[in-house]
């Protein structure tokens, strides 16, 4: 959001937490809790750039720490708003479903940082991401390597 553009990293992390927490509380109060909540959308390059940007010149330990802490802030915002029995599944969504190397690179960083999520979400566009066989092989390998379920996101 434009209102977040001038925030410090600590303020941004707090804003992600508070915003996510408030949204989930509204769902709870309306008695329409979702089964899953995705933190970010197609975030293989990070989110909330440049603070949470990763890859290329931004493929540094500091950037990964910032991204993974922002993800954790969103996840904590979800979980702190509900009792554990009400927790929806947490989805992390990568945009390159047919690119095994890109997905492995990304989810390995999240695993190393102990980001607590449940589902690997993947986009797949055949004109950009290879064959359906490559996508299928990638999903199979990601589920095996990371112990998560996987979902196609579009």
């Amino acid at each position: 959001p434009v209102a977040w553009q001038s925030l410090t990293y600590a303020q941004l992390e707090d804003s992600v937490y508070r915003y996510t927490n408030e949204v989930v509380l509204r769902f709870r109060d309306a008695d329409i809790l979702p089964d899953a909540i995705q933190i970010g959308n197609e975030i293989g390059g990070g989110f909330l750039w440049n603070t949470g940007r990763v890859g290329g010149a931004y493929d540094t330990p500091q950037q990964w720490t910032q991204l993974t802490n922002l993800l954790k802030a969103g996840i904590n915002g979800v979980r702190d708003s509900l009792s554990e029995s009400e927790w929806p599944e947490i989805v992390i969504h990568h945009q390159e479903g047919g690119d095994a190397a890109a997905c492995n690179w990304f989810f390995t960083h999240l695993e190393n940082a102990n980001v607590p999520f449940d589902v690997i979400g993947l986009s797949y566009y055949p004109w950009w991401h290879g064959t359906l066989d490559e996508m299928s092989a990638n999903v199979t390998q990601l589920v095996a390597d990371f112990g998560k379920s996987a979902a196609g996101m579009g």
Side-chain angles (χ1 to χ4, degrees):
V2 172
W4 293 6
Q5 287 181 344
S6 63
L7 297 181
T8 66
Y9 169 67
Q11 292 170 324
L12 186 59
E13 191 174 6
D14 181 64
S15 295
V16 169
Y17 173 87
R18 285 186 300 105
Y19 174 80
T20 307
N21 184 265
E22 290 169 9
V23 168
V24 175
L25 287 172
R26 287 183 182 180
F27 281 127
R28 184 203 64 196
D29 292 347
D31 198 28
I32 53 169
L33 288 176
D35 293 328
I37 294 179
Q38 180 175 294
I39 307 296
N41 184 56
E42 297 193 338
I43 63 167
F47 72 166
L48 297 171
W49 283 16
N50 284 325
T51 303
R53 187 175 184 179
V54 294
Y58 293 88
D59 190 11
T60 67
Q62 177 181 345
Q63 289 300 125
W64 278 105
T65 296
Q66 290 175 178
L67 172 62
T68 57
N69 285 343
L70 289 167
L71 289 169
K72 289 175 187 177
I75 293 166
N76 289 337
V78 171
R79 292 185 171 168
D80 288 351
S81 62
L82 304 168
S83 67
E84 189 172 346
S85 65
E86 297 174 300
W87 285 358
E89 289 189 308
I90 300 296
V91 179
I92 302 293
H93 181 196
H94 193 282
Q95 73 277 8
E96 297 177 274
D99 187 335
C103 290
N104 188 57
W105 167 81
F106 182 78
F107 288 108
T108 295
H109 278 90
L110 270 54
E111 180 178 64
N112 290 343
N114 297 310
V115 175
F117 68 100
D118 306 299
V119 177
I120 292 174
L122 299 171
S123 292
Y124 173 69
Y125 305 99
W127 51 91
W128 291 322
H129 300 153
T131 68
L132 191 54
D133 286 341
E134 290 169 322
M135 169 68 168
S136 178
N138 188 34
V139 170
T140 299
Q141 193 63 53
L142 289 169
V143 168
D145 289 349
F146 298 101
K148 311 288 183 188
S149 58
M153 309 305 288

